[in-house]
Amino acid sequence: METRPGPDLSYDAALAAFEWLIELGATDPVGDAPVNRYELVTPDPIAAAPPPPVAETRPQRPVPVLVPVDTVDPVAVARALAARAKTLEDLREAILGFEHCPLKLGARNTVFCDGNPKARVMLIGEAPGKDEDAQGKPFVGRAGQLLDRMLAAVGLDRASPDPATAVYITNVMPWRPPGNREPETSEIAMMGPFLARHVELVDPDLIVLMGNTACAAALNARGITRLRGSWAQAFGRPAMPTLHPANLLRTPINKRLVWADLLELRAKLNAL
Ligand code: URA
């Protein structure tokens, strides 16, 4: 069989294209022309079959109803799954079983929470980074270590068994986005019902929203430098937007802003 390409593609170009396809995961050469599978209607094996002989009196099998994948509303699915979760463990299972978020495909772990679920304060971050993805826990990398030191300065500790001094930590997204990119609006929206249920089940007195993604998910607002420092309402309770600890690693001068926000948090905790 002639395997060399035709005159409009050099042998090297064809070989490179072929290697690229293999890298993408292609395993089976099936035809000369490309097939756009998104446009394919799943063939109905029953309709395609030749009609049965006239003499045969077999009952017709029902024609299966094919639901195109893109008619599934991930937010509605998430809402239904989240509503059924009666405990945090149920919620973790529900998230583990949610198959509509593309980030899940590239993540090594589902990062659900850390800290004390009885804590008065619940912290919400953005999404796992490399270290969190590897360990399956939120805020364990450099940003997390800085966060722990800042919390300690206002008498809070994620390892504390005492709800008065404990914190509970989660993220808007339980899966690491590729290359640590920001989660997309659609991804934030589909994980929103899980986050809302998470807050309901933990039932903290106060929430801290760390960074723009947390504010987008909880307040439907962005602009953290404008939002930070003033109490807002999220999920029916007071929420303090503040800068994300990763921002402080890049811009240490901003630590004074977060310090002011944490003092405000401390004051409100004392007052409640
Ligand atoms: N940044 C986040 O927002 N969350 C983590 O868990 C780690 C880094």
Side-chain angles (χ1 to χ4, degrees):
M1 192 182 72
E2 173 61 68
T3 55
R4 293 183 79 85
D8 43 351
L9 195 60
S10 75
Y11 177 78
D12 288 341
L15 186 61
F18 184 57
E19 284 170 354
W20 180 70
L21 285 173
I22 291 173
E23 218 171 277
L24 287 179
T27 52
D28 302 306
V30 289
D32 292 336
V35 178
N36 184 345
R37 292 184 186 279
Y38 290 108
E39 282 174 2
L40 278 188
V41 175
T42 310
D44 177 349
I46 295 170
V54 184
E56 210 175 297
T57 54
R58 277 185 301 146
Q60 284 274 311
R61 276 183 286 150
V63 177
V65 177
L66 301 171
V67 180
V69 174
D70 58 9
T71 64
V72 173
D73 174 358
V75 179
V77 174
R79 214 177 280 131
L81 286 172
R84 258 185 257 150
K86 299 285 175 264
T87 63
L88 287 171
E89 210 33 58
D90 290 349
L91 187 66
R92 185 201 296 269
E93 289 299 321
I95 291 173
L96 283 170
F98 183 69
E99 301 296 347
H100 300 285
C101 182
L103 298 184
K104 185 175 186 184
L105 299 174
R108 292 170 70 184
N109 272 302
T110 298
V111 176
F112 184 64
C113 73
D114 196 20
N116 184 340
K118 295 196 162 49
R120 295 179 67 200
V121 179
M122 179 164 180
L123 301 166
I124 302 176
E126 180 176 300
K130 185 165 176 278
D131 296 316
E132 292 76 19
D133 183 43
Q135 295 185 40
K137 265 193 197 183
F139 285 99
V140 292
R142 278 181 68 224
Q145 288 155 22
L146 173 59
L147 176 66
D148 285 342
R149 290 197 296 278
M150 297 193 79
L151 290 172
V154 288
L156 296 172
D157 176 3
R158 70 169 99 183
S160 171
D162 176 3
T165 51
V167 294
Y168 182 83
I169 308 180
T170 192
N171 283 310
V172 173
M173 306 301 305
W175 299 294
R176 181 190 183 198
N180 294 342
R181 68 156 169 81
E182 264 190 36
E184 288 172 7
T185 306
S186 63
E187 294 160 350
I188 295 172
M190 72 175 76
M191 299 313 289
F194 293 114
L195 182 64
R197 188 72 184 128
H198 208 155
V199 174
E200 238 171 22
L201 289 169
V202 174
D203 193 20
D205 292 339
L206 301 175
I207 296 175
V208 178
L209 301 168
M210 298 183 290
N212 263 322
T213 299
C215 290
L219 306 176
N220 198 22
R222 283 179 181 268
I224 190 63
T225 44
R226 179 178 44 86
L227 293 168
R228 63 145 287 278
S230 301
W231 287 101
Q233 279 283 309
F235 309 111
R237 57 205 85 213
M240 172 58 75
T242 194
L243 299 174
H244 191 285
N247 172 299
L248 308 184
L249 292 175
R250 290 190 301 269
T251 316
I253 187 109
N254 285 347
K255 282 182 191 167
R256 66 201 162 91
L257 302 175
V258 175
W259 176 237
D261 300 344
L262 290 177
L263 289 179
E264 182 57 42
L265 171 75
R266 179 73 266 167
K268 191 138 183 124
L269 275 174
N270 294 347
L272 283 180

